[in-house]
Amino acid sequence: MTTHLVWFRNDLRVHDNYALHAACRNPDAKVIGVFVVTPEQWRQHVMAPKQAEFIFQHVQALGHALAGRGIELHIRQVADFTASVAYIKAFCTEQNVDALFYNYQYEVNERARDAALEKALDVDVTVQGFDDSLLLAPGSVTTGNHEMYKVFTPFSKAFIRRLQEGLPECVPAPKTRGEVPFNEQFAFDVPLEKFDHEIFPVGEQEAIGMLRKFCQQPAADYPEQRDFPAIEGTSRLSPYLATGVLSPRQCLHRLLKEQPKALEGEAGATWLNELIWREFYRHLMVAYPKLCRHRPFIAWTDKVRWRGDDALLEAWQQGKTGYPIVDAAMRQLNQTGWMHNRLRMVVASFLVKDLLIDWRQGERYFMSQLIDGDLAANNGGWQWAASTGTDAAPYFRIFNPTTQGERFDADGDFIRQWLPELKAVPGKQIHSPWAWADKQKQTLDYPRPIVDHKQARLNTLAAYEAARK
């Protein structure tokens, strides 16, 4: 009997999974799956314990879903990517595997691992890889000179033209091939941390339900609501996309089913644009592998003289900067593993351009906390905020953290949720709590601002201008 092996990585689903679908095309083939845990690699990549737990629970859910379709999922732990190559090679021999199927990962280490495996496998094991985690394959959306776009807007326009010519196909879950048991007795030797199941319910069907609900009215309301953290105006689907519990094709097709004119710039277009930003950063990472190596896209920005101040960094990490919108956002991150996108920009700007701390420190801290940690999106977002990336905010664009709070959390509802020590500060005065407290001769259990924004702005401009010379 022919044996097909599916190597699951960041594609923890049975619906619209290109590798799984291809492995199951032959109804007579025996299909088995494998998921390999690599604690040392996860440690090097500073994976958040909440994300590890999210993966752990979705591997379990995947195992049950596959078992019900007659596909056994094997779960093994080895140290790192090098050891995973040796393990998969040995597993193919042990199971008499004829063909191996997997979905591409685009980071440098992952691509090197896959190349090493293809080289190591015997010629009698056929290997098939698929561009599954993107709507369009890297390198397929280029300029007239066949180069990767460096600016988002023309990339987005070209991307939408490609989608208008024909949508990428969603493939069905495999048909049932019988039933096999699933052994749940396995453990990850990695730090794990519980997450809130009400915010992020576990399971592929739960994720599909969240997607369907969002694509109805919320996707149409998204442009007006997405910037206000006190409103449930975003999809919160990012953890499911980052780990592959959902595919971007499922998101696109469901969006167009509910908002059929999204590709024409009407209702739903703003959220579609967020999916295209995700593609942009991943395409860039393939075109410019240095982005995986913590290098800035704009070379001269590596000459910025950052301030090495552990006390300021720690105050930012703990949400104790004295700027309420920054602190509320950081506490949301630390407690839930997720942060509202507008606030990701605000806190990143604050770290880099108020505290003058290297953006890579922030990028690393985010990865260590985020349940939706994704290298390309996280790096792209940080380089945008730090003005070091392609199509980034210009270096002289510096958010004022107080006015950002006044604009996007005017009544302080979000701030009060995460900073209960400020609950006595009335109305809009919560954005400058010490100004109120000093007038009222009150003492707050809250730090005074750790920097003066006006002076910090001048210091940052000087640091960037010195680096440009």
Side-chain angles (χ1 to χ4, degrees), residues 36 64 164 186 193-194 207 215 229 233 309 365 394 406-407 414 435:
V36 183
H64 285 293
Q164 288 170 335
F186 66 92
E193 192 175 306
K194 287 183 167 53
C215 286
D309 191 319
Y365 186 73
E406 291 169 344
R407 185 175 173 189
F414 178 81

Side-chain angles (χ1 to χ4, degrees), residues 294-306:
H294 309 293
R295 308 309 305 168
F297 190 85
I298 301 171
W300 68 261
T301 62
D302 227 6
K303 297 177 185 174
V304 174
R305 295 189 65 180
W306 305 109

